[in-house]
Amino acid sequence: MENFRNIGVMGREGNGVVETLRRLLVLLEGRNVTTVLDESLSPLLPDHGLRVCPRKMIGEICDLIIVVGGDGSLLGAARSLTRQSAPVLGVNRGRLGFLTDISPGEIESQIGAVLDGHYVTEKRFLLDVEVMRDGARIGRGDALNDVVLNSGTSGHMMEFELFVDGEFVYRQRSDGLIVSTPTGSTAYSLSAGGPIMHPRLDAIVIVPMFPHTLSSRPIVIGGNSEVKMVVCASNVVNPPVTCDGQVKITTQPGDAIYVRKKPHKLKLIHPLGHSFYASCRDKLGWGGHMPIEPSDD
């Protein structure tokens, strides 16, 4: 197991975040490690006395990044750390917390155990999106959860064509389309009726949003596939493309949106005993009881 010596702390302002940050910094101060603070957090902690670093550089000088906040905070951190190899550990100050799986009350025990070398690592792939207009790229973004093309206006459908690996799939009228990673399958994709995918799957799911035909269903494709969406000329709106609900690119009729797997993966760290299925039971309200074994009598 890697011995973490330089630890970056990231996050964003929110309910209880400052209190949790202070508790985390007290723990790190007693562990003989060098702590580097994301510059966006510095104003929340006056007189902290720590080294401050821009978000785009923090992954280059640290060998572990701890993110305090909800899954949205970790999504933002993941997009800024895609080209750096530092693994990421999440402390949950949000609601669901599929990615940030350490609760504030477990900081001393769980993060202490991670620093002692007791953890597991898993890799999650991200998506790269490019928007092309007349052969020129007019926008791009990264997504750990999903890339979404939608009409951008309530009550208005949009029309687009879908291609996978250059092969025409369908022309559709709907509120839009979600292209999701396995990580994002428990997020917006799930709300739209998409399947839950185990994080280790090398697959992408394409989920239509309120399609005009009842026969349209989610499609699961290979993780190395290229997805292309073309905004049809019949549209009277300029549909936006969003990455993890945060990065927004406005398209216009005739634009092509390409979605591909990124070559760089995010390394997530979990405490020992982490279970994807336990997270589903907890976060999604699945029945938590173990099945009763049949009797031998």
Side-chain angles (χ1 to χ4, degrees), residues 28-288:
L28 296 179
E29 186 178 4
R31 297 294 301 221
N32 193 30
V33 297
T34 299
T35 304
V36 181
L37 200 63
D38 175 18
E39 64 180 1
S40 67
L41 291 180
S42 186
L44 304 180
L45 300 164
D47 304 319
H48 56 74
L50 298 172
R51 179 179 176 182
V52 176
C53 182
R55 173 166 291 201
K56 290 187 177 180
M57 294 179 55
I58 200 168
E60 297 177 1
I61 62 176
C62 295
D63 42 37
L64 172 66
I65 306 295
I66 300 177
V67 179
V68 178
D71 281 354
S73 298
L74 198 142
L75 290 170
R79 291 194 305 274
S80 64
L81 296 169
T82 51
R83 293 187 176 275
Q84 290 134 24
S85 59
V88 178
L89 175 67
V91 178
N92 184 27
R93 287 296 335 191
R95 291 186 294 274
L96 281 179
F98 267 100
L99 298 171
T100 50
D101 49 16
I102 294 180
S103 69
E106 299 173 321
I107 282 180
E108 288 80 9
S109 60
Q110 297 278 44
I111 294 183
V114 168
L115 297 180
D116 288 334
H118 307 301
Y119 61 87
V120 293
T121 304
E122 68 173 355
K123 293 183 178 181
R124 304 285 184 95
F125 73 82
L126 291 86
L127 298 174
D128 180 86
V129 59
E130 288 185 308
V131 179
M132 306 294 292
R133 181 176 300 159
D134 298 325
R137 187 173 74 181
I138 59 116
R140 68 158 307 277
D142 308 307
L144 177 60
N145 267 358
D146 48 49
V147 174
V148 179
L149 171 69
N150 67 84
S151 65
T153 57
S154 177
H156 275 84
M157 283 190 170
M158 63 167 297
E159 191 167 21
F160 61 90
E161 292 182 342
L162 173 67
F163 300 80
V164 175
D165 292 329
E167 184 176 352
F168 178 69
V169 179
Y170 53 58
R171 185 182 181 109
Q172 184 180 94
R173 281 181 53 80
S174 66
D175 283 6
L177 198 71
I178 302 170
V179 182
S180 172
T181 66
T183 300
S185 70
T186 52
Y188 193 24
S189 168
L190 181 63
S191 300
I196 294 175
M197 299 195 292
H198 194 281
R200 286 198 297 265
L201 281 175
D202 184 14
I204 294 170
V205 63
I206 301 171
V207 184
M209 300 166 61
F210 299 102
H212 200 246
T213 170
L214 295 178
S215 61
S216 292
R217 291 292 184 265
I219 303 173
V220 179
I221 61 176
N224 292 320
S225 299
E226 177 191 80
V227 177
K228 182 174 80 167
M229 297 164 280
V230 178
V231 181
C232 294
S234 57
N235 287 287
V236 296
V237 297
N238 292 329
V241 174
T242 57
C243 301
D244 292 341
Q246 299 179 30
V247 178
K248 181 177 177 180
I249 308 165
T250 301
T251 71
Q252 65 184 34
D255 288 354
I257 302 101
Y258 292 87
V259 182
R260 309 174 184 91
K261 181 200 292 184
K262 290 187 70 67
H264 305 91
K265 292 186 178 181
L266 174 71
K267 286 199 292 188
L268 275 182
I269 281 186
H270 301 288
L272 292 180
H274 169 77
S275 164
F276 172 71
Y277 301 114
S279 293
C280 289
R281 289 195 300 272
D282 180 38
K283 313 299 182 183
L284 301 178
W286 290 359

